[in-house]
Amino acid sequence: MKNIEFTVEQVEIRGWKLWISVNIRGEYDNRVRNPKVAVIFNSGTQTRRVPVVIRSYTEKNGEFLIYAQYSYDVRYIFYHEPLGRQINFWFDVMYGDDYYEHISYRLGEIANQEYGLEDSEASEEADEDEEEEGTTRGGYYDIVFSTEKSEIDLIARFDTSAPSLFSRAVGKVRAFVGKLWGAVLFLMGFLLLPVFFVDALLAVLKCIPRKEEIAGSNWIIYLIKHARWKWTVFCKMQIGILPMKLSCMRLANKIASWFPVKKNRIAFLSNRRNDLSGNFEFVYDILKEDESLDIRFVLDNHDTKHMKFRNMIRLAIYFANSKIILVDDYMELLFKLPRREGTTLIQLWHACGAFKTFGCSRMGKSGGQGLQSPNHRSYDFATVSSQEIAKFYAEGFGLSLEKVVATGVPRTDIFFDKAYKKKVVRQFYKKYPQLKDKKILLFAPTFRGNGKNTGYYPVELFDVNKLYEQLGGEYAIIVKHHPFVKNRNPIQEEYQDYIIDLSKNSELNDLLFVTDALITDYSSVVFEASLLDIPMLFYVFDLEQYIATRGFYYEYETFVPGKIVYHFDEIASAVKQNDFEQEKIEPFKERFFDGKDGKSAERTVELIYDNLKK
């Protein structure tokens, strides 16, 4: 590990905002494109890892120079933590494969001048035990520097005692007045409905400006939407089918909260899938043997707007009265409901390893999660595939570090089941007998775009027909696009027996059992493929753009378990020469999987039972 120099240029409190600026320098490595700086906050009960956003990364005379800076609202660093506790923090740096934990720092010239740490008189007055420390006052906290401990402390300057009886009474009165005024506005809105419709009619007749943001060219639809918009603005509340459904859901949750938590109830909740599959399936297969358990399901793969009303109500009830609540992906509705004491929420995250950054790891970037967002932060536990990546999931979810547990990913147990593999292979070749004498090349890229509604893949950059021809018929090609991708690779009629698109109707994990080589890009399928030692090729024509807009937890070009190609014409040559750089697979598996024993589901169930007993 190379030596680096870490300089704290600024730590300043302005109101509730904590401003941090740091400089880092060291020996430059031209393979490193995405270094990382994190600040680790500790309150005594929670430990939170948060990125410091890198503003510049340059090279000069063989040294790298990094400037990172960001501001944090102290009120939202920790989840449901009382204000006023002492907070201490330190820094971690990741540069390529080198990871520097709790790194030593020095104060820069600006910081020394601002905090007066080099003032001889201040040094003389300092205690001998604290001669390495400096203190500055600002905002609601004093800042204490300790270069000896490589830490910085924030010491509260405000009274943290419970509010007085008078203050609590004033708060209740304010809340009541606010609700009362809301009810008055709502009733007045009904009386003004004719006025709102006249306003809408005038907009349709172009007597007044039309609101272009309101969709629908049909004048009747526009009339209704315009009137609803005016009502919404006047009443200061959302009015419509979705707000009504959400209100009913909150009411159902509140009523269910009046009754005791059912100590034996386990709820499986998901809007990623509408069947019992993935991690849920493997965990349920063990739990179902216990007849004392009351197991419930809400599996609906629609987004919040289109989710069935019946499922929303059931979800609200189970969220209130289940002892254990299991989810397997981000579920927006859960963060619109209060967490109830006595319940345990466990995130059985669907993906293996740590690949693309997500959530709070993207703080300061487009689409990133801010400190104030409640998303993910109410989990009691999240399960991951290895201890090494636990810190990245804690960062992404905004959780305290100890809440991320390396049980393994239950659905990967299937890769250690030889009988299941034989069954899948037999069924596949029964369905596609023409592929028995072919090697199978699986093309499974991830999507581009911002999510479910905008996902796509630039299929014109991967000509499956041309690749099949270049490989001389030795390989059949299976195409498996991400579920978010709606466009498809065109397949010529004469090749349709040997180039097959199974994007819609096949389980990706099952396809890996018949795969001889995999072509992908930034998809997490690489983790599952590594468990089967499948040779991999990474076709990344847009790597620079992807790093800039999405980013990875590790340096892409040094951590992926296979050969990287940047141009389509390189693919056929690498495949024909069997040039997959397979030696990278074994160290990749060691890094991202702690338990390669087919018992991840068992360890996850142990975590569930441990919390059932509490």
Side-chain angles (χ1 to χ4, degrees):
M1 188 178 291
K2 305 178 183 67
N3 291 327
I4 65 173
E5 182 180 287
F6 191 97
T7 303
V8 175
E9 295 291 357
Q10 176 194 34
V11 176
E12 182 180 351
I13 291 281
R14 304 174 193 170
W16 291 110
K17 283 291 184 71
L18 170 66
W19 291 82
I20 295 177
S21 301
V22 300
N23 279 317
I24 309 122
R25 65 171 61 220
E27 183 180 337
Y28 178 69
D29 184 340
N30 61 9
R31 299 173 303 170
V32 178
R33 307 191 192 197
N34 197 19
K36 292 177 178 60
V37 183
V39 55
I40 317 300
F41 293 101
N42 181 272
S43 68
T45 57
Q46 296 186 51
T47 305
R48 173 89 189 277
R49 176 190 171 92
V50 187
V52 186
V53 178
I54 292 180
R55 304 299 184 182
S56 68
Y57 169 48
T58 57
E59 182 270 339
K60 184 178 181 181
N61 299 326
E63 281 193 326
F64 70 78
L65 304 171
I66 294 173
Y67 174 67
Q69 178 271 334
Y70 203 62
S71 65
Y72 310 89
D73 192 317
V74 180
R75 293 170 295 180
Y76 301 105
I77 291 174
F78 301 106
Y79 185 72
H80 285 185
E81 180 100 351
L83 290 172
R85 292 185 176 178
Q86 178 174 325
I87 300 171
N88 69 310
F89 61 92
W90 58 90
F91 300 95
D92 288 1
V93 175
M94 190 171 183
Y95 189 76
D97 291 332
D98 292 335
Y99 193 82
Y100 305 83
E101 292 185 279
H102 216 125
I103 192 167
S104 298
Y105 69 84
R106 71 179 187 86
L107 290 172
E109 183 178 343
I110 297 174
N112 275 322
Q113 291 175 357
E114 184 173 350
Y115 306 133
L117 300 184
E118 293 185 341
D119 189 303
S120 58
E121 294 182 7
S123 298
E124 290 173 5
E125 294 174 1
D127 294 335
E128 290 184 7
D129 293 339
E130 296 180 351
E131 62 182 20
E132 290 279 318
E133 299 187 352
T135 303
T136 183
R137 301 169 74 101
Y140 298 108
Y141 289 85
D142 289 340
I143 304 169
V144 180
F145 295 86
S146 175
T147 54
E148 184 179 354
K149 294 190 300 181
S150 304
E151 294 179 2
I152 301 171
D153 296 330
L154 300 179
I155 301 176
R157 298 172 57 193
F158 51 89
D159 183 13
T160 60
S161 58
S164 65
L165 183 63
F166 175 77
S167 298
R168 292 197 298 269
V170 169
K172 290 181 179 179
V173 169
R174 286 174 177 168
F176 173 76
V177 171
K179 291 180 179 179
L180 182 63
W181 181 241
V184 170
L185 288 177
F186 186 78
L187 292 173
M188 290 178 65
F190 271 110
L191 299 176
L192 290 173
L193 264 178
V195 177
F196 298 152
F197 273 104
V198 170
D199 189 82
L201 182 60
L202 291 175
V204 169
L205 298 174
K206 299 183 180 178
C207 297
I208 61 174
R210 183 186 177 108
K211 186 171 177 60
E212 297 299 331
E213 293 86 350
I214 298 177
S217 56
N218 184 295
W219 72 270
I220 297 177
I221 294 175
Y222 179 85
L223 193 74
I224 296 171
K225 288 187 174 182
H226 186 104
R228 186 182 69 176
W229 164 65
K230 295 294 289 187
W231 190 9
T232 298
V233 173
F234 180 83
C235 295
K236 298 180 182 178
M237 63 177 65
Q238 292 296 317
I239 299 168
I241 294 175
L242 179 58
M244 181 201 70
K245 290 167 66 177
L246 291 174
S247 295
C248 292
M249 185 183 74
R250 292 189 183 99
L251 178 61
N253 178 260
K254 188 169 185 176
I255 293 172
S257 298
W258 295 343
F259 299 92
V261 172
K262 296 183 181 298
K263 300 295 186 180
N264 66 335
R265 176 167 288 180
I266 299 176
F268 290 75
L269 310 179
S270 178
N271 61 359
R272 176 181 176 83
R273 61 189 79 249
N274 56 11
D275 59 354
L276 191 62
S277 56
N279 288 333
F280 279 2
E281 178 183 5
F282 289 86
V283 170
Y284 174 70
D285 281 346
I286 298 176
L287 292 175
K288 69 182 181 183
E289 302 298 325
D290 187 344
E291 295 182 356
S292 69
L293 297 177
D294 175 13
I295 301 177
R296 302 300 175 97
F297 304 92
V298 179
L299 308 173
D300 188 325
N301 64 351
H302 296 92
D303 57 26
T304 299
K305 185 176 181 180
H306 300 99
M307 192 173 182
K308 293 178 181 177
F309 179 65
R310 179 173 63 91
N311 285 340
M312 293 176 70
I313 298 301
R314 291 170 61 228
L315 180 146
I317 294 171
Y318 296 156
F319 192 64
N321 64 20
S322 300
K323 175 63 177 176
I324 303 292
I325 303 152
L326 305 176
V327 295
D328 65 345
D329 201 346
Y330 170 63
M331 199 168 190
E332 180 184 8
L333 287 176
L334 297 190
F335 309 110
K336 297 181 182 296
L337 299 171
R339 274 295 309 279
R340 187 178 180 188
E341 189 175 349
T343 63
T344 301
L345 177 59
I346 303 177
Q347 171 63 263
L348 307 182
W349 192 248
H350 57 279
C352 302
F355 205 165
K356 296 166 285 192
T357 57
F358 70 95
C360 289
S361 294
R362 296 180 49 73
M363 194 176 292
K365 297 181 180 179
S366 176
Q369 181 173 317
L371 278 179
Q372 296 187 41
S373 173
N375 294 345
H376 297 298
R377 300 194 65 187
S378 59
Y379 303 143
D380 293 294
F381 296 98
T383 60
V384 294
S385 60
S386 76
Q387 189 57 46
E388 176 174 327
I389 65 170
K391 57 182 175 289
F392 296 127
Y393 275 82
E395 177 185 291
F397 288 141
L399 299 178
S400 187
L401 291 172
E402 66 277 1
K403 291 187 175 184
V404 181
V405 186
T407 60
V409 179
R411 65 181 178 79
T412 62
D413 290 352
I414 204 75
F415 298 113
F416 303 90
D417 187 336
K418 294 180 180 179
Y420 182 81
K421 177 181 178 179
K422 288 180 180 179
K423 183 183 77 170
V424 168
V425 171
R426 183 173 65 252
Q427 290 175 343
F428 178 83
Y429 286 114
K430 182 178 181 180
K431 189 171 184 178
Y432 303 103
Q434 74 275 20
L435 304 184
K436 281 186 177 180
D437 297 326
K438 300 278 188 180
K439 293 181 181 178
I440 303 295
L441 182 63
L442 176 62
F443 174 54
T446 194
F447 68 97
R448 274 60 172 176
N450 295 321
K452 189 172 185 177
N453 297 322
T454 60
Y456 72 97
Y457 183 85
V459 294
E460 66 278 3
L461 297 180
F462 192 91
D463 188 338
V464 289
N465 303 291
K466 182 177 180 181
L467 180 60
Y468 180 76
E469 293 169 353
Q470 290 175 334
L471 295 176
E474 180 182 2
Y475 284 85
I477 301 175
I478 294 175
V479 178
K480 179 66 173 174
H481 280 294
H482 191 280
F484 291 175
V485 175
K486 302 299 184 291
N487 57 328
R488 293 287 181 265
N489 297 80
I491 300 172
Q492 294 177 16
E493 186 176 352
E494 64 267 31
Y495 298 146
Q496 289 181 0
D497 283 342
Y498 299 104
I499 303 175
I500 304 172
D501 192 321
L502 297 179
S503 299
K504 286 187 176 181
N505 51 2
S506 289
E507 171 61 44
L508 179 56
N509 284 350
D510 287 353
L511 292 176
L512 292 175
F513 287 121
V514 298
T515 296
D516 294 291
L518 170 68
I519 300 175
T520 186
D521 45 18
Y522 318 116
S523 171
S524 61
V525 68
V526 299
F527 297 101
E528 290 87 344
S530 72
L531 290 173
L532 296 175
D533 294 312
I534 296 173
M536 287 175 256
L537 205 60
F538 294 84
Y539 174 42
V540 289
F541 53 84
D542 57 350
L543 180 60
E544 295 284 355
Q545 179 184 2
Y546 210 89
I547 290 174
T549 57
R550 183 64 190 266
F552 303 95
Y553 285 108
Y554 295 86
E555 289 296 332
Y556 185 88
E557 291 166 298
T558 60
F559 103 98
V560 295
K563 183 180 179 64
I564 298 173
V565 297
Y566 303 92
H567 306 285
F568 177 77
D569 292 338
E570 299 175 74
I571 296 174
S573 174
V575 174
K576 286 192 287 188
Q577 294 176 30
N578 199 33
D579 182 14
F580 295 102
E581 300 180 6
Q582 289 177 256
E583 68 278 2
K584 297 179 178 178
I585 294 178
E586 194 59 36
F588 182 87
K589 281 194 293 186
E590 291 301 314
R591 168 180 276 182
F592 293 110
F593 293 97
D594 284 350
K596 298 180 286 295
D597 53 7
K599 296 182 179 180
S600 295
E602 291 181 20
R603 286 187 287 271
T604 304
V605 169
E606 285 178 14
L607 175 66
I608 292 170
Y609 272 112
D610 287 344
N611 284 277
L612 269 175
K613 297 171 185 175
K614 292 181 180 178

